[in-house]
Amino acid sequence: MVATSQTTGEGWSSRSAFILAAVGAAVGLGNIWRFPTLAGESGGGAFVIFYIGCVFLLGLPLVLSEIFVGRVGQTDAVGSIRKVAVQSGASPSWSIFGGIGAIAAFLIVSFYSVVAGWVLYYAGVMGWDFLQAIMSGDPFRGALAGESQEQIQQRLGDMFASPGLLLAMHFAFMGLTFYIVARGVSSGIEKAATYLMPAFFVLLLGLVIYGAIEGDIGDAVAFLFTPDWSKLTPQVMNSALGQALFSLSLGVAGLITYGSYIKENSGLGATSAMIAFADTGVAILAGLMIFPIVFAVGLDPAAGPTLVFQTLPFAFQTMPGGALFGFLFFILILVAAVTSSISLLEVPTAWGIGERGWSRPKSSAIFGGGAFLIGIACLLGYNVWADVRPLGFWSLFENTDILDTVDGFTGKVMLPLGALFTSLFVGWKADASLLRTTTGLSPAMFGLWRFLIAWLCPLAVTIILVTGLFPSILGA
Ligand code: TRP
């Protein structure tokens, strides 16, 4: 028999609760850490404009597709795809890509928690520093008073060299993620999103205004929006496409899972557009927050992954109020990371509930615990296992440490594959009248959506997949 999965029986209490949770899932380390890093490394404007094109032509149709599958299916990703397939007269084997998605989400949350752990440590360091600033009677002094630039930069290396510290932070973050997911959809995930997302937006606006006043906003705007098209190389396009998928939480059935908790059909197209707009808006605001500060002190915007951990703390040192705003900055990233990590853990958790019949606490404990263990391997890759190359036999991952291997394999292989299957399934297999009634799009929008999802998405995603796996095609 096919349709054996149980509905999880849970749901969002309102449409706005779903939107907040989905925006919370989308807005994360990808927006505040990865987007500015990539924009900085790739030279700014051309990358940003191409990225925005990817979000709306490729990402948005996929967001609506995943939500559609979940809305119809009303259960975990595997069961939901199976149900849509059966209702559309397609093979139930399509549900396999839901299982691959659940594995990908499980792997992503394992290293995501490790990186969020770094943020947690920095929030602690900056919080302690701010406390000292208050006690010294000068709460608005710059951050990390008295430390040299070398000392500030050295902190990152010291952290990486300490497995115990990394482990403690990873444990705390994964524990929090598990705690929220174990409490369920409405009293865990939804509640976290309704408190944390408004706090996030207040913090973000505060920091953008701070950067505009104290930093160099003119240079930042010019950097982010003036395109130098010669910098738009195939590699840059590839990373922009991949980043669009990651930032919108696509390709691992995350939005299928969240979509399955929607109880009524109301404007799924508008809801999807809101998610895409909010996510992109936050990424750009994050750029408008970070680069004025970087430029104000004449630092390098192309610093790469260490931008947030080495460049910014030093910038906060030289700025008035840096101790306070530096602390708030890391709290901001932490909040964004929590609402994303719960969405990742929820995908395999829902699978355990829907397909295995496990209780929610049991399922979230199994997958949260498993991801915690894989995360330990990732963090040991920064010190005791620094020489381990898990996929070293594969030229693409020859020189890649454990965390970057899990990140690279999920991001370059599993995520685009998931997005490809989603677009093929929804674009070619799903029943057209089911699509029409569920999404409620106007005929013109419906036609546009189907064109993008059936033709543009598979094509573009195949290009990401192939050029990602065989970078030599791009002449790299
Ligand atoms: N989108 C989140 C971010 O930008 C991360 C994330 C959450 C994610 N859920 C996902 C990425 C699902 C890929 C798939 O940080």
Side-chain angles (χ1 to χ4, degrees):
M1 264 312 290
V2 275
T4 49
S5 41
Q6 324 176 198
T7 57
T8 41
E10 295 186 272
W12 309 112
S13 61
S14 67
R15 177 169 176 230
S16 56
F18 166 67
I19 293 173
L20 273 183
V23 170
V27 170
L29 296 172
N31 302 62
I32 304 174
W33 176 56
R34 232 163 142 220
F35 178 82
T37 299
L38 288 174
E41 286 177 334
S42 327
F47 170 88
V48 173
I49 292 169
F50 186 78
Y51 172 81
I52 293 174
C54 294
V55 166
F56 289 101
L57 292 176
L58 203 80
L60 177 52
L62 281 165
V63 169
L64 180 56
S65 301
E66 285 205 15
I67 293 178
F68 156 79
V69 173
R71 169 68 192 98
V72 172
Q74 293 292 301
T75 182
D76 70 280
V78 170
S80 288
I81 297 166
R82 191 162 47 212
K83 190 159 161 195
V84 173
V86 169
Q87 288 191 22
S88 306
S91 160
S93 315
W94 279 94
S95 63
I96 292 169
F97 84 79
I100 298 175
I103 296 171
F106 169 70
L107 290 174
I108 293 174
V109 76
S110 73
F111 74 82
Y112 202 87
S113 168
V114 173
V115 178
W118 308 345
V119 178
L120 181 60
Y121 171 62
Y122 272 76
V125 169
M126 300 298 271
W128 177 243
D129 178 61
F130 177 52
L131 203 67
Q132 285 175 322
I134 297 175
M135 307 227 279
S136 72
D138 187 9
F140 295 108
R141 70 157 161 79
L144 308 171
E147 287 188 29
S148 67
Q149 184 168 9
E150 288 67 38
Q151 279 174 310
I152 292 177
Q153 297 193 336
Q154 188 51 39
R155 183 169 280 112
L156 189 65
D158 290 345
M159 178 185 78
F160 286 155
S162 166
L165 175 62
L166 294 172
L167 182 67
M169 298 296 129
H170 169 48
F171 178 79
F173 189 84
M174 189 64 91
L176 178 63
T177 303
F178 160 72
Y179 174 78
I180 297 172
V181 171
R183 297 187 58 125
V185 175
S186 58
S187 44
I189 297 174
E190 173 177 325
K191 207 158 172 199
T194 43
Y195 283 110
L196 293 177
M197 289 317 286
F200 172 83
F201 280 105
V202 171
L203 279 171
L204 181 65
L205 283 182
L207 279 156
V208 171
I209 293 170
Y210 170 76
I213 294 173
E214 294 294 341
D216 204 334
I217 184 102
D219 279 5
V221 170
F223 177 73
L224 283 174
F225 297 110
T226 314
D228 172 357
W229 296 111
S230 70
K231 293 202 167 134
L232 197 62
T233 60
Q235 289 95 321
V236 167
M237 292 191 222
N238 177 283
S239 69
L241 281 160
Q243 170 66 8
L245 296 182
F246 185 88
S247 190
L248 291 168
S249 307
L250 290 166
V252 310
L255 287 170
I256 297 182
T257 308
Y258 270 22
S260 76
Y261 306 129
I262 301 178
K263 293 300 165 207
E264 78 278 357
N265 288 345
S266 59
L268 295 188
T271 300
S272 307
M274 244 182 271
I275 296 167
F277 267 104
D279 185 64
T280 309
V282 170
I284 289 171
L285 281 176
L288 287 178
M289 159 183 77
I290 288 173
F291 289 115
I293 299 173
V294 172
F295 288 134
V297 277
L299 294 168
D300 180 14
T306 60
L307 184 76
V308 160
F309 297 107
Q310 291 183 325
T311 308
L312 277 182
F314 175 64
F316 280 121
Q317 185 183 51
T318 61
M319 300 178 74
L324 168 63
F325 284 92
F327 170 56
L328 293 179
F329 173 74
F330 285 101
I331 295 292
L332 173 89
I333 313 185
L334 206 54
V335 168
V338 173
T339 54
S340 295
S341 66
I342 56 182
S343 80
L344 287 161
L345 183 57
E346 178 63 15
V347 183
T349 298
W351 177 85
I353 299 170
E355 304 299 309
R356 302 269 106 194
W358 294 339
S359 71
R360 173 170 284 276
K362 176 176 172 188
S363 191
S364 52
I366 288 176
F367 291 111
F372 175 64
L373 294 180
I374 298 174
I376 293 179
C378 291
L379 68 86
L380 290 177
Y382 281 84
N383 31 71
V384 291
W385 287 348
D387 298 326
V388 175
R389 301 283 174 268
L391 298 179
F393 53 86
W394 183 347
S395 62
L396 191 60
F397 298 107
E398 225 165 26
N399 298 312
T400 315
D401 62 36
I402 302 174
L403 188 146
D404 285 347
T405 301
V406 183
D407 181 6
F409 184 76
T410 51
K412 289 192 170 133
V413 182
M414 301 184 85
L415 223 115
L417 262 185
L420 179 63
F421 278 120
T422 309
S423 60
L424 292 177
F425 179 66
V426 173
W428 296 95
K429 293 291 169 182
D431 180 69
S433 66
L434 186 62
L435 286 175
R436 202 173 288 122
T437 49
T438 311
T439 59
L441 292 178
S442 71
M445 289 311 273
F446 186 74
L448 179 63
W449 177 49
R450 290 216 65 195
F451 168 75
L452 292 173
I453 202 69
W455 294 97
L456 188 77
C457 289
L459 195 75
V461 174
T462 304
I463 292 174
I464 315 184
L465 193 62
V466 173
T467 57
L469 289 184
F470 306 100
S472 54
I473 296 175
L474 304 178

